[in-house]
Each structure stands twice: as C-alpha cells, then as structure tokens.
Amino acid sequence: FTKVAMLRELKQQLDQRGIPAVFASTDRDEVYAMSSGVCVMKDGVSQSAQRKKLFFDDPKTMTGALLSGCENVTQVHAVNATGSCGECHTRAVRGLGNDVLFSRCKGL
C-alpha cells in the first residue's frame, strides 16, 4: 500500500462501520482527506474545533490559519478609543478618516 491508498482504505473502513476516530496530523492534505471536523491543538490545549470546510475557509486561530495553509498572517491587538493596546500598551497612530496605523505591538 502507498500512504494515500492506505489512508483511503482506512477512511472507507471507518465510514462503512460508522466508527468515530481521532486522527492527529500536521499534514493539511491528510487532515482534509480524513476528517469531517478539525480541532486545533497548541501546547496540548484545544484552541478551536470546526467543521472541515469552515476550518479551511475561515480558521479561528493563528495556529489554525498556519495549519490550513494561510501564509500571509500577522497577529494584532485591538486598540481602545485612545489608541492604546490593552495587552502591551503600544500606541496606535491615527491616519486619515477612521484608519488606524499600527506600530509593531511590543507584546508580539
């Protein structure tokens, strides 16, 4: 058996018998082929659980975004009305209109 053929056979057998299974992988092709739902874990803690299509269309965490194949991601903090980040106290700079331009957050 090749890996792909083995995974296909395993999924078919599990589906035919109605057996639920937990499949751990960091390979997004395996995750897509084998799952109906995805639970993202980081440092041994569950971050989010989503249906497979929703996970690949709209991951809810940075780890999920990276695992689903998003490559152009960055972490941001929300700012309050005064322009301060409540997590690291970095000041945001207001642009024209309601645009907010950020300096790099010290907490990231």
Side-chain angles (χ1 to χ4, degrees), residues 18-73:
I19 300 171
V22 175
F23 185 79
S25 178
T26 58
D27 182 316
R28 73 179 139 262
D29 293 332
E30 286 179 358
V31 170
Y32 199 86
M34 295 296 293
S35 68
S36 59
V38 178
C39 180
V40 175
M41 302 283 291
K42 182 177 180 186
D43 299 327
V45 178
S46 173
Q47 289 190 322
S48 66
Q50 295 176 270
R51 302 295 298 168
K52 174 177 65 178
K53 181 167 179 10
L54 184 57
F55 170 75
F56 282 95
D57 289 346
D58 185 21
K60 298 299 180 199
T61 65
M62 176 75 80
T63 303
L66 294 171
L67 289 172
S68 71
C70 298
E71 295 177 0
N72 189 17
V73 294

